[in-house]
Amino acid sequence: MNRREAFMRRRQQVTRQRIVVAALTLLVVFCGTLLGSSMASVRSEASAEHGSIKYYTSIQIEQGDTLWSIADTYLTAGYATVQDYIDEVKELNHLGPDEIHSGQYLTIPYYSDKIH
């Protein structure tokens, strides 16, 4: 085998490798897109099941309020447990421990059947 044949054979191998890498990349992108769109449709189906839309409002904390008392007031059927609701309130408001203070404003999530 002369140098030209060796060069051509190596070039063909590199071309095949590039084609395989490109095909695998396209496959991964396609699967990621398909997975993302199916997850989005599952999420919107879950909202449609409840027949409600998630909204947010801001409240001012009053003396004696706790996260549990706020959950008792604002918790809607979109949450599995009171703790799930409190965890979301804490995450939305960047709260660490369960301490809130009078005069502080919190963003509160809730679900409603009505379009606001």
Side-chain angles (χ1 to χ4, degrees), residues 38-59:
S38 67
M39 289 177 69
S41 69
V42 166
R43 176 172 268 181
S44 51
E45 285 175 16
S47 282
E49 275 180 24
H50 292 285
S52 58
I53 301 170
K54 189 175 196 176
Y55 293 100
Y56 300 89
T57 190
S58 179
I59 63 166

Side-chain angles (χ1 to χ4, degrees), residues 12-115:
Q12 287 175 344
Q13 287 175 339
V14 169
T15 301
R16 278 190 222 123
Q17 288 174 346
R18 287 180 179 168
I19 290 171
V20 168
V21 167
L24 288 174
T25 302
L26 287 173
L27 181 63
V28 167
V29 168
F30 176 75
C31 290
T33 302
L34 186 62
L35 178 64
S37 65
S38 67
M39 289 177 69
S41 69
V42 166
R43 176 172 268 181
S44 51
E45 285 175 16
S47 282
E49 275 180 24
H50 292 285
S52 58
I53 301 170
K54 189 175 196 176
Y55 293 100
Y56 300 89
T57 190
S58 179
I59 63 166
Q60 186 173 18
I61 304 304
E62 297 177 4
Q63 187 67 33
D65 282 347
T66 65
L67 290 174
W68 284 89
S69 67
I70 292 168
D72 285 340
T73 303
Y74 292 95
L75 182 69
T76 54
Y79 296 92
T81 66
V82 174
Q83 189 60 52
D84 289 343
Y85 183 78
I86 290 173
D87 290 342
E88 183 172 350
V89 169
K90 287 169 65 174
E91 184 179 333
L92 280 170
N93 294 283
H94 308 289
L95 299 175
D98 293 343
E99 288 186 25
I100 55 176
H101 306 284
S102 180
Q104 178 181 11
Y105 284 89
L106 293 181
T107 300
I108 303 296
Y110 67 96
Y111 284 91
S112 176
D113 295 336
K114 300 173 185 168
I115 297 176

